[in-house]
Amino acid sequence: MRAARLIKMVLLLQSRPSMTAGELARELEVSERTVARDAQALSEAGVPVYADRGRAGGYRLIGGYRTRLTGLARGEAEALFLSGVPGALREMGLEDAASAARLKVSAALLPSLRDASRTAAQRFHLDAPNWFTETKAPELLPAVADAVWDDRRVTARYRSREAEVERELEPYGLVLKAGVWYVCARVAEGGSFRVYRIDRFTAVEARADRFIRDEEFDLPGFWEERAEQFARSILRAEVVVRLSEDGVRRLPYAVDPAAAREALAAAGTPDEEGRLTVTLPVESEKVAHAQLAGLGPEVEVLAPESLRARFTDDAIRLGRLYGT
């Protein structure tokens, strides 16, 4: 365990001019005191780790030291080949580059590890789109992807609900969510970060100038925050329902899972019939009708009255169909 951590510490210092004790501690998931002990151990073993003292200090390798401990274990080699998503790379126009990279990596591996790409492919496959949906890569995706890789500003025309607008964007990153491609970009005018569906772009023109990327921008963190905001923003209505025990279990699979969990946590105790009354945020009455209908007799709508009337009508029509 410690040997692997020492190797990782050397590789981290080899890849950067200098790192503070705090940065190393976060990367290695240990305390700063452990970092100091590991640095001392490396120094005693002949690895020239130098510690700069003071507030702006840190650790660095001196004398252009380069380690040869860069061989890959089998698990590491297989994980490397899992890091690419073939479908996504193909849609971005990077399939040839990825194929060439895999060949180069395979050629550099030990003979005993050159089957890593095959064994990884046999054990894992990512199919991103949802079931029962046909997805097609946006025509302008390769142009947007080129701009992302090249940190190049683009002038884009975007089709919104109201009209078609033109924006000068700094495209920071791409996200593939359930078969739909998005670009997270900073608007040149105002500097705010926004998310755009790429299939709603009607034109994308790369500009000659590049933008200076904010190195503190965290794409996964930004996407997670915006996705949560979006999910909450569309839940503009509320319904009150009475659920059986089975209905409580199935509710998170019928509606927004986060909203269901919060609503169930805020509910009281079941009544004498074992049913739980829950106030649930929903997108609209129409959407709630479609979602809750899947729960059948495990849910009773109490409010609003108009939604209860929809389910009453459903029950009457079902009774007629089945002769009861």
Side-chain angles (χ1 to χ4, degrees):
M1 180 72 176
R2 191 189 186 198
R5 189 175 71 241
L6 292 174
I7 292 172
K8 185 176 180 180
M9 183 175 180
V10 173
L11 294 174
L12 284 169
L13 293 174
Q14 184 174 294
S15 65
R16 309 180 194 181
S18 176
M19 294 184 71
T20 66
E23 290 171 338
L24 283 168
R26 285 191 294 274
E27 291 281 357
L28 300 172
E29 299 181 349
V30 296
S31 66
E32 293 187 19
R33 182 171 295 181
T34 299
V35 169
R37 288 197 295 265
D38 286 352
Q40 180 64 31
L42 287 171
S43 182
E44 292 173 357
V47 178
V49 178
Y50 181 77
D52 292 313
R53 306 298 179 184
R55 175 175 292 184
Y59 294 90
R60 58 187 175 89
L61 296 174
I62 60 175
Y65 179 85
R66 305 290 293 179
T67 179
R68 295 184 180 180
L69 298 174
T70 53
L72 294 176
R74 170 164 289 278
E76 294 169 333
E78 291 174 344
L80 178 64
F81 286 106
L82 284 178
S83 63
V85 184
L89 292 169
R90 180 174 59 253
E91 292 177 1
M92 287 187 290
L94 297 173
E95 185 176 26
D96 291 343
S99 177
R102 286 193 293 270
L103 287 173
K104 290 178 181 179
V105 171
S106 295
L109 291 174
L110 294 173
S112 60
L113 299 179
R114 287 178 184 166
D115 65 340
S117 63
R118 180 179 59 83
T119 58
Q122 288 174 336
R123 289 163 173 80
F124 180 80
H125 173 69
L126 177 63
D127 185 10
N130 283 331
W131 286 103
F132 313 119
T133 58
E134 293 185 8
T135 60
K136 182 180 179 181
E139 183 179 344
L140 295 173
L141 174 60
V144 177
D146 285 345
V148 169
W149 302 128
D150 206 24
D151 292 343
R152 193 174 294 279
R153 287 189 176 92
V154 299
T155 300
R157 293 192 64 81
Y158 186 79
R159 187 178 62 256
S160 66
R161 290 182 179 179
E162 294 78 18
E164 190 172 275
V165 297
E166 185 172 287
R167 293 279 188 274
E168 184 180 326
L169 303 175
E170 297 175 355
Y172 267 63
L174 296 168
V175 175
L176 177 60
K177 170 72 171 179
V180 180
W181 282 96
Y182 299 86
V183 60
C184 301
R186 182 164 60 186
V187 181
E189 183 179 349
S192 62
F193 282 94
R194 299 183 185 179
V195 176
Y196 297 90
R197 278 185 60 146
I198 296 179
D199 59 6
R200 292 181 181 168
F201 283 129
T202 59
V204 174
E205 181 180 354
R207 296 171 58 90
D209 54 326
R210 291 181 172 87
F211 62 91
I212 299 176
R213 179 176 288 267
D214 181 355
E215 296 301 330
E216 295 185 359
F217 178 77
D218 175 19
L219 179 60
F222 172 79
W223 175 259
E224 182 178 1
E225 179 184 344
R226 289 303 173 91
E228 183 177 349
Q229 289 176 0
F230 173 75
R232 291 182 178 276
S233 69
I234 63 174
L235 303 178
R236 302 187 181 94
E238 279 188 348
V239 300
V240 181
V241 296
R242 191 165 166 260
L243 298 161
S244 69
E245 184 177 343
D246 190 42
V248 169
R249 181 183 61 82
R250 291 165 54 188
L251 185 65
Y253 301 97
V255 300
D256 178 76
R261 287 193 296 267
E262 291 181 9
L264 291 171
T269 56
D271 58 23
E272 62 276 6
E273 296 181 10
R275 287 182 171 259
L276 184 68
T277 299
V278 175
T279 300
L280 180 70
V282 295
E283 183 175 347
S284 67
E285 183 177 311
K286 181 179 179 181
V287 172
H289 178 235
Q291 293 174 329
L292 295 174
L295 298 180
E298 309 306 324
V299 61
E300 176 190 3
V301 174
L302 302 179
E305 186 60 36
S306 55
L307 181 58
R308 183 178 175 87
R310 286 176 182 251
F311 279 90
T312 301
D313 182 59
D314 288 347
I316 293 171
R317 292 168 61 195
L318 283 169
R320 290 171 181 167
L321 283 173
Y322 291 95
T324 59

